[in-house]
Amino acid sequence: VIDKMEAEGVPDLTFTTLEGQTVRLADLRGKIVILNFWASWCNPCVEEFPSMMKLIEQMKGEVVIVAVSTDDERKDIETFTKAMGLPKPNFNVAWDEKKEAMQAFAVEKVPESFLIAKDGKLIRKVLGIENWSSPNAIEYFQHLVGK
């Protein structure tokens, strides 16, 4: 699955954000995308969220996050995102209620993230927690967007 995504691109899925907006992966071409699978009950996911939010602020629209919740109840997601101060620009939160996106990306555990290039191809898969706003990470993303 990973080899295919690196060679041919990631599946072109469409998500509906908690605010009711449609986010299609193909429409995000031209930007670096982090597709993050998470859950409100997952402590590492909760720990990772602030660094993703800081990265988005630093990258000023060059990087977009699609945070896909695997929670069983929508109210749990809404409570969590409200506490985190979301929604914010370039940080889309969607609910994978039927776990279809998890299946398409072969996600087994959360957090799990997919770093997608401007051309829609997979750059890398990240298993577990990542500090997305460390100085090294910021430098890496600036390199990816060509700064």
Side-chain angles (χ1 to χ4, degrees), residues 64-112:
V64 174
I65 291 181
V66 180
V68 181
S69 174
T70 62
D71 279 274
D72 292 327
E73 301 287 331
R74 183 183 175 100
K75 67 180 182 341
D76 295 335
I77 307 164
E78 291 171 342
T79 301
F80 177 81
T81 56
K82 185 177 179 184
M84 295 300 287
L86 293 166
K88 289 190 184 252
N90 300 306
F91 200 114
N92 305 284
V93 178
W95 182 26
D96 190 17
E97 183 178 10
K98 296 178 182 167
K99 314 296 189 249
E100 294 167 342
M102 285 183 72
Q103 290 175 356
F105 280 83
V107 172
E108 295 177 12
K109 296 179 183 177
V110 292
E112 198 166 296

Side-chain angles (χ1 to χ4, degrees), residues 116-130:
I116 304 168
K118 291 180 179 184
D119 63 3
K121 293 181 181 175
L122 182 69
I123 297 172
R124 70 183 185 124
K125 178 179 177 176
V126 178
L127 298 170
I129 191 170
E130 180 76 30

